mmCIF file of all heavy atoms in Angstrom:
data_model
loop_
_atom_site.group_PDB
_atom_site.id
_atom_site.type_symbol
_atom_site.label_atom_id
_atom_site.label_comp_id
_atom_site.label_asym_id
_atom_site.label_seq_id
_atom_site.Cartn_x
_atom_site.Cartn_y
_atom_site.Cartn_z
ATOM 1 N N MET A 593 113.070 44.403 -82.109
ATOM 2 C CA MET A 593 113.058 43.275 -82.935
ATOM 3 C C MET A 593 113.064 43.612 -84.432
ATOM 4 O O MET A 593 113.758 43.042 -85.266
ATOM 5 C CB MET A 593 111.678 42.597 -82.719
ATOM 6 C CG MET A 593 111.557 41.341 -83.719
ATOM 7 S SD MET A 593 109.880 40.518 -83.639
ATOM 8 C CE MET A 593 109.021 41.578 -84.886
ATOM 9 N N ALA A 631 100.449 42.060 -106.190
ATOM 10 C CA ALA A 631 100.560 43.226 -105.191
ATOM 11 C C ALA A 631 100.056 44.430 -105.763
ATOM 12 O O ALA A 631 99.255 45.261 -105.179
ATOM 13 C CB ALA A 631 101.865 43.330 -104.862
ATOM 14 N N ASP A 641 93.662 44.667 -98.952
ATOM 15 C CA ASP A 641 93.778 43.621 -97.940
ATOM 16 C C ASP A 641 95.367 43.488 -97.603
ATOM 17 O O ASP A 641 96.061 42.938 -98.418
ATOM 18 C CB ASP A 641 93.362 42.338 -98.497
ATOM 19 C CG ASP A 641 93.336 41.098 -97.610
ATOM 20 O OD1 ASP A 641 94.149 41.050 -96.607
ATOM 21 O OD2 ASP A 641 92.426 40.329 -97.667
ATOM 22 N N ASN A 649 103.900 40.267 -101.519
ATOM 23 C CA ASN A 649 105.253 40.790 -101.453
ATOM 24 C C ASN A 649 106.221 39.710 -101.017
ATOM 25 O O ASN A 649 107.273 39.548 -101.506
ATOM 26 C CB ASN A 649 105.296 41.965 -100.419
ATOM 27 C CG ASN A 649 104.775 43.180 -101.005
ATOM 28 O OD1 ASN A 649 104.643 43.334 -102.150
ATOM 29 N ND2 ASN A 649 104.450 44.130 -100.206
ATOM 30 N N VAL A 679 105.583 42.714 -89.559
ATOM 31 C CA VAL A 679 106.003 43.976 -89.252
ATOM 32 C C VAL A 679 105.486 45.086 -90.330
ATOM 33 O O VAL A 679 104.979 46.121 -90.076
ATOM 34 C CB VAL A 679 107.594 44.108 -89.213
ATOM 35 C CG1 VAL A 679 108.070 45.594 -89.151
ATOM 36 C CG2 VAL A 679 108.063 43.292 -87.967
ATOM 37 N N THR A 681 102.851 44.783 -92.478
ATOM 38 C CA THR A 681 101.469 44.887 -92.422
ATOM 39 C C THR A 681 100.989 45.804 -91.329
ATOM 40 O O THR A 681 100.003 46.664 -91.282
ATOM 41 C CB THR A 681 100.714 43.671 -92.390
ATOM 42 O OG1 THR A 681 101.040 42.839 -91.324
ATOM 43 C CG2 THR A 681 100.911 42.908 -93.760
ATOM 44 N N GLU A 693 106.848 50.881 -102.424
ATOM 45 C CA GLU A 693 107.532 49.595 -102.334
ATOM 46 C C GLU A 693 107.287 48.885 -103.657
ATOM 47 O O GLU A 693 108.215 48.231 -104.145
ATOM 48 C CB GLU A 693 107.037 48.827 -101.095
ATOM 49 C CG GLU A 693 107.558 49.437 -99.742
ATOM 50 C CD GLU A 693 106.814 48.810 -98.687
ATOM 51 O OE1 GLU A 693 106.298 47.720 -98.682
ATOM 52 O OE2 GLU A 693 106.667 49.529 -97.521
ATOM 53 N N GLU A 695 106.999 50.182 -106.626
ATOM 54 C CA GLU A 695 107.816 50.824 -107.587
ATOM 55 C C GLU A 695 109.257 50.203 -107.454
ATOM 56 O O GLU A 695 109.920 49.951 -108.321
ATOM 57 C CB GLU A 695 107.840 52.423 -107.379
ATOM 58 C CG GLU A 695 106.532 53.072 -107.782
ATOM 59 C CD GLU A 695 106.503 54.447 -107.379
ATOM 60 O OE1 GLU A 695 107.559 55.122 -107.077
ATOM 61 O OE2 GLU A 695 105.465 55.125 -107.522
ATOM 62 N N ALA A 712 120.673 44.708 -109.205
ATOM 63 C CA ALA A 712 119.659 44.175 -108.347
ATOM 64 C C ALA A 712 119.996 44.187 -106.863
ATOM 65 O O ALA A 712 119.308 44.435 -106.064
ATOM 66 C CB ALA A 712 119.365 42.738 -108.860
ATOM 67 N N VAL A 726 111.651 53.480 -92.474
ATOM 68 C CA VAL A 726 110.147 53.740 -92.418
ATOM 69 C C VAL A 726 109.631 52.958 -91.184
ATOM 70 O O VAL A 726 108.882 53.496 -90.373
ATOM 71 C CB VAL A 726 109.433 53.367 -93.649
ATOM 72 C CG1 VAL A 726 107.908 53.395 -93.480
ATOM 73 C CG2 VAL A 726 109.831 54.349 -94.808
#
Side-chain angles (χ1 to χ4, degrees):
M593 177 191 90
D641 183 333
N649 283 346
V679 171
T681 56
E693 293 167 21
E695 291 172 10
V726 168

